[in-house]
Amino acid sequence: MAKTSWAEPFKIKMVEHLRMTTRDERTRAIAEAGYNTFLLKSEDVYIDLLTDSGTSAMSDRQWAGLMLGDEAYAGSVNFYHFEDAVRRFYGYKHLIPTHQGRGAEHILSKICIKPGDFIPGNMYFTTTRAHQELSGARFVDVIIDAAHDPANEQPFKGNVDLAKLQNLIDRVGAKKIPYLCLQCNVNMAGGQPVSMKNIRETRELCRKHGIRIFLDATRAVENAYFIKLREPGYGSKSIAEILLEICSYTDGCTCSAKKDSLVNIGGWLSINDDDLAEQARSLVVLYEGLHTYGGLAGRDMEAIAIGIGESVQFDHIRARIGQVEYLGHKLQAAGVPIVKPIGGHGIFVDAATFLPHIPREQFPAQALAAALYVDSGVRAMERGAVSAGRNPDTGQNIFPKLELIRLTIPRRVYTQAHMDVTAESVIDLRDNAASIKGLKFIYEPKYLRFFQARFEPVA
Ligand SMILES: *Cc1c(COP(=O)(O)O)cnc(C)c1O
């Protein structure tokens, strides 16, 4: 008989206690945090679904790897393990370690972008776009329209719209486009994958015009899993083979090791071109550290090297995404509006549909994340207008089509019972949605405002 159930390919060796809080304590805590879940103290949180970034549980092997840290300033043995792992599983020639993904984005933007350039991408990511703009470029979204529609069930909603890309090339000229930023398992679209066919076609178009492609490989392993499941011809290929093929169509990558690679800190920049890699190495010493540690301890690099190998195991990635689907199916069964199809790293609840009485100017997703915390101590994150920021020309708020909260599942951390509690709380809130109030800014930072903004309820 074919077995359809799965269980985690690990057992638990150590536990971390959680503090339980009362509703009164949580009501006080969220007010003190300016109704921004980023400003809550983690000890006040019960189930922390803020992000899957750096929140994974490391394996016993990774912990053992920490003890093998070679903390030499230059040429640490762990750097070479890290370099081997990236070469073997991602296939790129040069590895430049960075403290996390945005360190790599910073360096790539600095060496490739001139003021007045355009960077097309399949939807923006917050830190990625911010670095492109700081270097003087304008980000242009070339993702397919379906990505902006939470009800569209297309299997590869992360795909690049080739007509939009061609249009941009015709409008501004290829010389003003130093590279295309190709994101795997598009985060802001709900963790939606790109198909291999689309990557190949995007490669062809870019090659014709001499435009490089840099992959945001942060979630490329999750993307590889969806390709295996959904794309004809890939069912019998391993995750590692698919990952290598994805990378083979690109000129390098920026990557946050805090996601797929199962560590708490780290990232890297990979580049195939020798000259460009030299330029990146000359900058990494300024901003991150020597090119053989890039802001990481030797032990961190060892944990990443081991984590990369674990991340491409089929049983691991199936259980990781299986847990996300478990929560998603529970919410769907109860009629909660979520982004479909269920993505790789979290469940995205459509807050605009959930809270129709709150106008977009009063940030329904921000309000829903705050209300969820008060209800159950579950911490989610806003992914809507607050995250999107303001238009750099007009200074007006950007209201993206998607106004979401993200329930992000850390890897190997929570049990299905935690998912049950989370689902129950979201469903209860849906049944009492009318009592949730909108929010207004009382403090708005200039950059990446969602991290530190403060709000109060609209009277
Ligand atoms: C997290 C993330 C980044 C940034 O990485 P950090 O390690 O947080 O700096 C970039 N792109 C995507 C898709 C991400 O999910």
Side-chain angles (χ1 to χ4, degrees):
M1 202 179 88
K3 305 267 193 306
T4 53
S5 288
W6 54 268
E8 288 80 359
F10 57 80
K11 56 185 177 175
I12 296 168
K13 195 188 292 247
M14 192 188 284
V15 298
E16 178 181 342
H17 287 285
L18 298 172
R19 196 167 76 87
M20 312 298 272
T21 51
T22 64
R23 191 181 180 91
D24 280 349
E25 286 171 327
R26 294 193 294 273
T27 304
R28 246 188 336 265
I30 196 72
E32 275 168 22
Y35 297 86
N36 184 347
T37 52
F38 276 103
L39 300 180
L40 287 167
K41 291 186 183 133
S42 124
E43 63 173 5
D44 293 333
V45 174
Y46 174 35
I47 300 172
D48 202 347
L49 307 184
L50 184 73
T51 173
D52 64 341
S53 177
T55 54
S56 300
M58 293 206 295
S59 67
D60 51 356
R61 280 158 215 227
Q62 287 177 291
W63 279 101
L66 295 186
M67 297 307 293
L68 303 176
D70 168 9
E71 307 305 343
Y73 189 88
S76 158
V77 68
N78 313 115
F79 167 76
Y80 296 102
H81 293 168
F82 184 9
E83 189 181 47
D84 283 347
V86 172
R87 280 210 183 120
R88 178 163 163 220
F89 292 107
Y90 291 79
Y92 299 116
K93 187 165 173 197
H94 299 284
L95 168 74
I96 294 133
T98 58
H99 76 287
Q100 57 183 86
R102 70 198 67 180
E105 292 164 358
H106 176 208
I107 291 170
L108 181 69
S109 300
K110 271 230 147 61
I111 58 176
C112 289
I113 294 174
K114 293 187 304 303
D117 281 347
F118 293 82
I119 305 293
N122 48 344
M123 206 174 264
Y124 80 100
F125 183 75
T126 52
T127 58
T128 322
R129 189 184 71 184
H131 278 297
Q132 291 160 0
E133 288 175 350
L134 271 176
S135 292
R138 175 59 53 91
F139 170 81
V140 182
D141 189 1
V142 294
I143 203 165
I144 56 171
D145 286 339
H148 295 281
D149 173 7
N152 188 310
E153 300 219 34
Q154 211 164 295
F156 291 105
K157 276 167 82 173
N159 279 355
V160 172
D161 185 324
L162 297 170
K164 285 185 191 170
L165 178 57
Q166 182 67 58
N167 204 329
L168 177 72
I169 298 170
D170 294 344
R171 190 159 61 80
V172 306
K175 284 205 170 58
K176 285 227 170 290
I177 307 176
Y179 64 91
L180 173 130
C181 177
L182 180 71
Q183 200 188 137
C184 270
N185 246 37
V186 180
N187 193 337
M188 307 293 281
Q192 302 294 332
V194 189
S195 72
M196 196 72 88
K197 178 165 176 286
N198 184 256
I199 298 175
R200 232 181 276 120
E201 289 169 353
T202 303
R203 178 56 166 181
E204 273 317 298
L205 182 55
C206 286
R207 199 204 307 273
K208 226 169 70 193
H209 294 276
I211 298 169
R212 287 192 167 107
I213 298 181
F214 281 99
L215 189 69
D216 181 340
T218 300
R219 301 173 183 283
V221 178
E222 290 169 0
N223 200 123
Y225 176 75
F226 284 122
I227 288 176
K228 181 177 170 73
L229 252 59
R230 297 177 186 170
E231 191 160 351
Y234 286 90
S236 61
K237 289 210 156 73
S238 70
I239 300 295
E241 285 170 321
I242 298 170
L243 179 62
L244 264 184
E245 185 180 340
I246 293 173
C247 298
S248 74
Y249 301 125
T250 68
D251 299 284
C253 77
T254 57
C255 191
S256 170
K258 299 171 69 171
K259 322 286 172 66
D260 280 348
S261 314
L262 297 162
V263 293
N264 305 120
I265 194 71
W268 75 84
L269 173 61
S270 277
I271 297 180
N272 285 335
D273 183 88
D274 296 337
D275 288 343
L276 213 51
E278 245 356 275
Q279 291 176 43
R281 285 202 186 96
S282 70
L283 281 191
V284 78
V285 291
L286 280 177
Y287 294 111
E288 304 281 318
L290 192 68
H291 62 282
T292 54
Y293 76 85
L296 297 171
R299 55 180 170 269
D300 297 328
M301 294 191 282
E302 191 62 31
I304 299 172
I306 298 168
I308 288 173
E310 292 180 1
S311 74
V312 299
Q313 301 305 313
F314 176 76
D315 290 327
H316 157 71
I317 195 73
R318 178 175 63 171
R320 188 276 185 284
I321 293 180
Q323 191 176 41
V324 175
E325 286 173 340
Y326 176 83
L327 174 61
H329 289 151
K330 281 215 137 190
L331 293 175
Q332 261 178 331
V336 173
I338 66 170
V339 172
K340 289 182 270 189
I342 293 166
H345 63 299
I347 299 302
F348 293 70
V349 178
D350 179 356
T353 306
F354 202 104
L355 300 173
H357 61 289
I358 301 182
R360 293 292 299 273
E361 292 74 18
Q362 294 177 11
F363 309 116
Q366 190 77 30
L368 181 56
L372 177 64
Y373 170 73
V374 172
D375 188 63
S376 57
V378 172
R379 171 154 71 169
M381 175 198 297
E382 192 263 8
R383 276 299 181 226
V386 178
S387 293
R390 290 180 183 272
N391 178 313
D393 292 334
T394 65
Q396 296 296 307
N397 278 316
I398 299 168
F399 291 106
K401 287 214 182 84
L402 301 179
E403 175 75 13
L404 310 171
I405 66 162
R406 188 179 81 183
L407 300 161
T408 338
I409 317 297
R411 298 165 187 77
R412 312 192 289 204
V413 171
Y414 291 112
T415 64
Q416 277 173 220
H418 290 111
M419 300 299 111
D420 292 342
V421 168
T422 301
E424 206 174 290
S425 177
V426 173
I427 293 162
D428 279 353
L429 279 179
R430 193 266 321 268
D431 297 339
N432 298 290
S435 65
I436 300 173
K437 289 199 177 69
L439 296 171
K440 62 174 191 249
F441 274 110
I442 53 173
Y443 166 61
E444 183 184 347
K446 184 149 182 260
Y447 297 112
L448 301 177
R449 64 182 184 179
F450 58 95
F451 281 132
Q452 290 159 326
R454 302 183 74 86
F455 301 83
E456 67 183 20
V458 174

